[in-house]
Amino acid sequence: MPIKAILISFGLASCLAFAGQADSTLWTEISIPRTIQTNQQIVTTPNGWQCFDEITSIDPPKELHALRDVTIFCGHPKEAEFREHDIDLGSKKESIFVWKVSSIPKKDYWVNCSYNNTRLSLCMPIPHSAAEVRITINRQVPNAPRILKVEFR
């Protein structure tokens, strides 16, 4: 291979490597609450019954719920339009799921966080400027929090 071709190939490889590094800096992380606290209470006490809290304290007990799952919705999550990821960049260590959110225009995309032992969840819209969203999941440690990060660009 002539020296000129080698230099061009090396230059192209360097540009691609640099583009890959620059690409990773374009992602903005969404701060996902790892736990939420809830209060359990009875809304209506049936006739003849009394309600009491088995855990006695001055303040009402707050239950701590750990993050279970993060999903992407096309539209508000209460509309139940779950969106399957477009790309799966899986490895033995972690999975990276990517959604191309700009592929369906005129729709809001939402990130929804589900928590263990509660029906309550947290959701927030993804900025309209986002073209892609990615969720990185830990696949190695079974008892560790599986969701490592949620990002958009």
Side-chain angles (χ1 to χ4, degrees):
M1 179 182 281
I3 292 178
K4 191 174 185 179
I6 292 171
L7 289 175
I8 290 172
S9 295
F10 176 75
L12 179 60
S14 298
C15 287
L16 291 174
F18 178 76
Q21 290 174 350
D23 181 57
S24 65
T25 61
L26 297 175
W27 292 93
T28 301
E29 188 165 352
I30 297 172
S31 179
I32 300 295
R34 299 296 171 170
T35 59
I36 59 171
Q37 284 187 332
T38 63
N39 287 328
Q40 185 174 346
Q41 61 185 355
I42 294 178
V43 176
T44 305
T45 304
N47 286 337
W49 291 88
Q50 293 181 4
C51 175
F52 79 98
D53 194 335
E54 293 177 6
I55 301 171
T56 57
S57 68
I58 296 171
D59 295 325
K62 293 176 176 56
E63 295 181 40
L64 194 61
H65 306 279
L67 179 66
R68 181 182 68 231
D69 196 16
V70 175
T71 48
I72 303 298
F73 284 85
C74 183
H76 193 283
K78 70 181 174 187
E79 298 167 3
E81 291 183 48
F82 170 73
R83 171 87 192 274
E84 187 68 36
H85 58 272
D86 296 306
I87 301 168
D88 180 355
L89 304 172
S91 70
K92 288 183 181 181
K93 210 167 130 178
E94 63 186 22
S95 285
I96 300 173
F97 301 110
V98 180
W99 286 260
K100 304 278 187 183
V101 296
S102 61
S103 63
I104 301 177
K106 299 182 183 177
K107 275 288 198 176
D108 289 336
Y109 283 86
W110 290 70
V111 59
N112 188 74
C113 300
S114 302
Y115 295 87
N116 289 324
N117 303 316
T118 182
R119 295 182 313 173
L120 300 175
S121 63
L122 296 176
C123 63
M124 71 180 289
I126 294 166
H128 287 281
S129 60
E132 296 178 307
V133 177
R134 72 179 177 188
I135 298 175
T136 305
I137 297 174
N138 182 348
R139 297 180 78 183
Q140 286 189 311
V141 185
N143 295 328
R146 291 180 38 91
I147 309 299
L148 297 177
K149 58 185 167 182
V150 179
E151 304 166 295
F152 71 90
R153 67 172 179 180

